[in-house]
């Protein structure tokens, strides 16, 4: 009887543990206003009234004209100053645009009784060599029965009139979308003029927004309240983004 043979079991194959695959890190989407430069002009300065000689100095206003460096601005019947309204709205707009990726340059960096200006020639020409847009924020001081916002554009002969008009159209739509009415004392809610140094001296599309009439009770309540300022700022920031991202 042949001898029994023993077959050895095959050696176990060592287990190879697969390294977990590492996915490439997610690339965040670019912010919509990345690379854009916006000049925001908060009208006037709280301390202008304390520097009468400085603000009455004549400066270049464009078109061969000169004008006073600045003015005190208007106020509500109760004394709430335009300079504070424009500052509160402008800083809200600044924060929204910065969050969307824009570089925002403010024409003034404070709202102080101890400061004046800057002058209108500085405001209009600021960052002319690189800015994409200028938005100047104001409030009006018309008769008590006048209400609503309106927009001021450079003269139709200005090189940046077409771009300014397109921006004004976006502002009009955004303000209306927030339930804000156009002025009942400015036909069509916008007007072109060669009378404003801030617009005359700008080498980029530029619009002045008069957000409402501080001498009208309803407008004044909205302009001076936190909730109202939020509404204005949301509309203005939305219009800037629309204009700068529309081909």
């Amino acid at each position: 009887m042949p001898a029994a043979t023993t077959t050895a079991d095959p050696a176990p194959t060592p287990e190879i543990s697969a390294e977990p695959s590492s996915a490439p890190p997610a690339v965040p989407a670019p912010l919509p206003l990345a690379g854009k430069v916006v000049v925001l002009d908060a009208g006037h300065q709280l301390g202008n009234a304390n520097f009468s000689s400085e603000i009455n100095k004549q400066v270049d206003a464009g078109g061969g004209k000169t004008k006073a460096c600045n003015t005190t601005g208007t106020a509500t019947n109760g004394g709430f100053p335009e300079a504070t309204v424009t500052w509160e709205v402008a800083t809200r707009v600044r924060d929204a645009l910065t969050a969307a990726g824009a570089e925002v340059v403010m024409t003034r960096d404070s709202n102080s009784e101890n400061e004046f200006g800057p002058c209108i020639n500085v405001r209009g020409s600021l960052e002319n060599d690189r800015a994409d847009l200028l938005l100047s924020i104001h409030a009006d001081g018309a008769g008590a029965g006048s209400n609503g916002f309106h927009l001021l554009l450079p003269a139709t002969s200005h090189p940046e009139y077409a771009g300014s008009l397109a921006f004004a159209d976006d502002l009009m739509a955004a303000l209306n979308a927030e339930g804000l009415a156009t002025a009942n004392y400015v036909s069509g809610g916008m007007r072109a003029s060669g009378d404003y140094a801030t617009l005359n001296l700008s080498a980029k599309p530029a619009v002045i927004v008069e957000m409402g009439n501080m001498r009208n009770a309803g407008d004044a309540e909205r302009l001076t309240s936190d909730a109202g300022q939020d509404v204005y700022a949301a509309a203005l920031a939305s219009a800037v983004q629309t204009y700068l991202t529309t081909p």
Side-chain angles (χ1 to χ4, degrees), residues 10 21 26 30 55 161 229:
S21 61
I55 69 167
Y161 173 75
Q229 291 164 4

Side-chain angles (χ1 to χ4, degrees), residues 65 152-156 161 191-196 199-200:
K65 303 175 185 176
L152 300 171
L153 286 70
T156 55
Y161 173 75
R191 180 166 61 88
S193 172
D195 196 41
Y196 299 98
L199 303 178
N200 294 344

Side-chain angles (χ1 to χ4, degrees), residues 44 79 123 156:
H44 310 286
R123 293 173 186 252
T156 55

